[in-house]
Structure formats: structure tokens, C-alpha cells
Amino acid sequence: MPVPQDPMAFTDAMADLLRLPDETLAMSYIYLNRYRRFQTSSSSLDPLDEYTLALACLSLAAKSTESPRRMREILFPAHRLLHQYDESSDSHPINRPLSVPSAMYDTLRATLVQAELMLLRVLGFELRLPLPLDYLSRYLDRAMGDVTDAGEDYDSWGKEEKEEYGVLQDSMETGLGRACRAKAVAASKNWQLASLYPARAVAMGCLYMVLKDRGLEGLGDKKSWVDNISSRKVDVEDFDEVVDILKGV
């Protein structure tokens, strides 16, 4: 069985096991970075270990992105990932399979609930934070608009017709769209991008990097391109800084 080497790998694995959407995973990383930013300015010791914090972020993000999971659904796979027990494991309850009812399950559940409450206070109970993913679809459509207009208007097709001819439902399901989504989720892991820059600017940076990686370049000067795609809602200086950071992500 795979073993997570750090809290980020643990969060990614849990999101996959729980079949959570990209929006939930990205939001969990936004919460994580907001919490870490708060702790850097706090003089008190951090009461949460990294794995409890990661699980609390993912659990809370699942609720805020309307993909809630029950505590039992979360705790069982999380415990199994972190504790590689087998028949030869020692007798300590933490090294045995989790069961319900049990004192260990009750303890872990209470710990996760308390961690979520701490996280809520740090976030100021503001859970629906802007994500780069919120803007990617419209930015991608605008970036490819002229080319799209020259072809078939697949968006006007009905669901049954799309299914019959194997047409993807929207642009974010294409290879280009999936690459943009993956870039945006990875960007949400970065402390600087998650904490210091508007989600719109991060979305623009992700789109630019994916297009560049695929050998596609926007026409005209960079400022005009950014203004056109973002409807003048992204500062070009923010965009430049985001792109520089994304080069190392």
C-alpha cells in the first residue's frame, strides 16, 4: 500500500480516495496556506500537527464546495494511509484497524472536529474563498475564442447529441482545460500564490503557462493580451510576478 511522505501527498491521496473534485482540493490548499500565514504572525505554539491540519482543511473544503463527506468516510481511509498496520502490529490501539464503535474512533472524530473549529476561527468563518479555478473556464474560452468561432458551435448542441457524437461537455474537459485545472490546483499549494495574489491573476498565470508549454502564444503585446482575456481585471504586474513564481511550481 502506498505511504504518503508528507502532508501534501496525504491530502492529494485523500482527495482521490474520496473522489473529491479539483475545486475541493484547491480550496483545501487555500485554507492550509491561510492557516500557515496566520501561524507565522502568532506567538503561540501551533496546536495542530500537519496531518490533522491537512485533514481538517480537506474536510472543511468538502463542505464549502458542496461535496461533503461523513466523518466516517474521511477517518477510515485517513487512518489506514497513516498507519501501516497488519496482523503483527503491536497492541497499541492506534496501530490496529479502525472500527466503530470504539474509543479510538471517538477520539479521532473529536480531534478532527476541534481542528475544524480552530480552522474556522482562523478563516474568520469565511469559507467560500475565490479560486483560480473559478475563472479558468471563461479565460480559456476567451483565449481560444477566435479559433473556436471558426469551427462548429459545440456548446449549442444538446446533451444527447454531444453524447451520441462523443463531444466533451465543455472546454475544461479538453486536454488544454485539464492541463489548466491541474496547474491551478498545483498553484494553490504555493504559499505565495495562495496568500498574496488575487485568484484572477493566478488563473491568468496558469492559462499563460499552459499555453506556452503547448507552444501557443497570444497575439499582440502581453499587457493587451492580459487586459483582453481578463476584461482589465488583472494587473499586469501581478500577472508577471505570478508567472515567475509558477515557473518554479
Side-chain angles (χ1 to χ4, degrees), residues 194-213:
S195 305
L196 305 179
Y197 295 94
R200 291 176 182 272
V202 177
M204 278 297 304
C206 290
L207 173 61
Y208 174 81
M209 292 296 292
V210 171
L211 290 175
K212 187 175 181 180
D213 289 344

Side-chain angles (χ1 to χ4, degrees), residues 139 142-144 204-205 207-209 211 217-231 239:
Y139 288 176
R142 288 173 185 169
M144 303 300 291
M204 278 297 304
L207 173 61
Y208 174 81
M209 292 296 292
L211 290 175
E217 292 282 353
L219 292 175
D221 65 278
K222 181 168 54 180
K223 185 179 186 308
S224 296
W225 185 80
V226 171
D227 286 346
N228 181 50
I229 302 301
S230 69
S231 299
F239 169 79

Side-chain angles (χ1 to χ4, degrees), residues 162-198:
K162 286 182 178 179
E163 290 178 351
E164 181 180 355
Y165 288 93
V167 175
L168 298 174
Q169 293 297 320
D170 59 60
S171 59
M172 293 307 293
E173 295 180 12
T174 65
L176 191 59
R178 291 195 302 271
C180 286
R181 292 179 72 86
K183 181 69 74 175
V185 173
S188 298
K189 293 183 181 182
N190 183 277
W191 185 90
Q192 289 176 284
L193 295 176
S195 305
L196 305 179
Y197 295 94

Side-chain angles (χ1 to χ4, degrees), residues 88-128:
S88 63
S89 298
D90 65 43
S91 59
H92 194 285
I94 198 67
N95 290 323
R96 297 185 210 153
L98 199 58
S99 62
V100 177
S102 68
M104 179 55 62
Y105 177 81
D106 292 342
T107 298
L108 293 175
R109 188 180 189 281
T111 299
L112 182 55
V113 169
Q114 287 301 312
E116 285 190 25
L117 288 173
M118 291 181 194
L119 184 58
L120 276 169
R121 295 189 186 100
V122 169
L123 295 170
F125 294 87
E126 185 180 357
L127 296 182
R128 195 61 184 95

